[in-house]
Amino acid sequence: MRVVIADDAVLLREGLVRLVEENGHTVVAAVGDGPSLVSAIAEHKPDVSIVDVRMPPSHTDEGLRAAVEARGLVAGTPILVLSQYVEVSYADDLLADRMGAVGYLLKDRVSQVAEFLDALARVAGGGTVLDPEVVSQLLVRRRRDDPLRTLTPREREVLGLMAEGMSNTAIARKMVVTDGAVEKHVRNIFTKLRLHQDDEQHRRVMAVLAYLQG
């Protein structure tokens, strides 16, 4: 994969460059501020970008704002946010185009390199991978006219685990049920959210986005 990395912390940025390249990928740009991120994505059109939230000059949400801007210029460009912070409003903006290819992981909760690399590949492939804490904070913003009210508590649980990027097999293991039971819940979710017969991965992405934006 061709990767852009944006983080103002030099040691972390260089560490990510080394990690990505040691695992067979190419870093086409490594930058430390929002405008440079937008320029790098527009120029290189990478397979995926790793983006920190807080960058110069104000160290608030420049990284996320730049990522949103970049997706406006290069439609659907895959973004994996890797940060210590959850910035809900701009995370919503990243998800708003319903194109998928978005991840949001918290630095201090990524416990294994393989887990991070797997998330990177899934986002590059159009998937959605979100830390459970990000999911919970996004759901606090859910409106009263929630279009997902028809889902049962068990279906909501399955959909929440889908939002974390879990496969049906991983969900079954987590919930201590059979794969078949999870597949039934997933089919019910697709039906209730009116996600008609289509590519399975696309429907999973659309279901997760509906869940987070509902």
Side-chain angles (χ1 to χ4, degrees):
M1 294 187 295
R2 299 168 63 255
V3 183
V4 165
I5 296 174
D7 197 308
D8 68 309
V10 176
L11 292 180
L12 180 57
R13 185 170 70 239
E14 293 306 313
L16 284 170
V17 169
R18 181 173 178 179
L19 172 65
V20 168
E21 292 187 335
E22 284 181 348
N23 282 275
H25 309 301
T26 301
V27 176
V28 294
V31 301
D33 60 77
S36 297
L37 169 63
V38 174
S39 297
I41 290 176
E43 177 182 352
H44 297 288
K45 295 179 176 56
D47 297 308
V48 64
S49 298
I50 304 169
V51 181
D52 189 20
V53 170
R54 299 188 176 183
M55 293 195 290
S58 69
H59 294 278
T60 53
D61 53 17
E62 283 85 359
L64 267 179
R65 285 193 281 117
V68 171
E69 180 182 348
R71 274 174 74 98
L73 294 173
V74 182
T77 186
I79 300 288
L80 175 60
V81 177
L82 182 63
S83 181
Q84 292 176 296
Y85 312 98
V86 180
E87 293 290 347
V88 176
S89 59
Y90 284 103
D92 266 347
D93 289 343
L94 269 181
L95 293 162
D97 60 18
R98 302 177 71 84
M99 298 181 73
V102 173
Y104 200 136
L105 301 179
L106 299 181
K107 290 176 180 176
D108 60 356
R109 290 163 61 99
V110 177
S111 58
Q112 297 183 17
V113 170
E115 173 187 329
F116 170 73
L117 293 172
D118 178 64
L120 192 66
R122 282 198 245 172
V123 171
T128 302
V129 181
L130 303 171
D131 184 275
E133 179 63 23
V134 176
V135 173
S136 67
Q137 291 201 33
L138 285 170
L139 294 183
V140 168
R141 295 165 58 90
R142 182 175 289 169
R143 298 184 297 273
R144 290 180 62 86
D145 60 339
D146 185 356
L148 308 175
R149 285 178 297 175
T150 57
L151 298 186
T152 66
R154 201 65 160 165
E155 289 162 357
R156 285 177 179 270
E157 183 180 359
V158 170
L159 191 46
L161 294 173
M162 287 168 62
E164 294 176 27
M166 289 190 183
S167 66
N168 286 359
T169 299
I171 292 171
R173 191 179 306 118
K174 175 84 171 180
M175 297 175 64
V176 196
V177 297
T178 65
D179 285 8
V182 173
E183 289 169 6
K184 182 178 179 181
H185 287 313
V186 171
R187 285 196 302 270
N188 289 341
I189 290 166
F190 290 159
T191 299
K192 291 179 179 180
L193 296 184
R194 300 184 182 88
L195 298 174
H196 304 297
Q197 202 67 28
D198 200 346
D199 174 73
E200 176 76 10
Q201 176 64 20
H202 177 70
R203 288 204 294 174
R204 289 180 81 88
V205 170
M206 295 301 291
V208 167
L209 296 181
Y211 178 62
L212 295 173
Q213 295 172 342

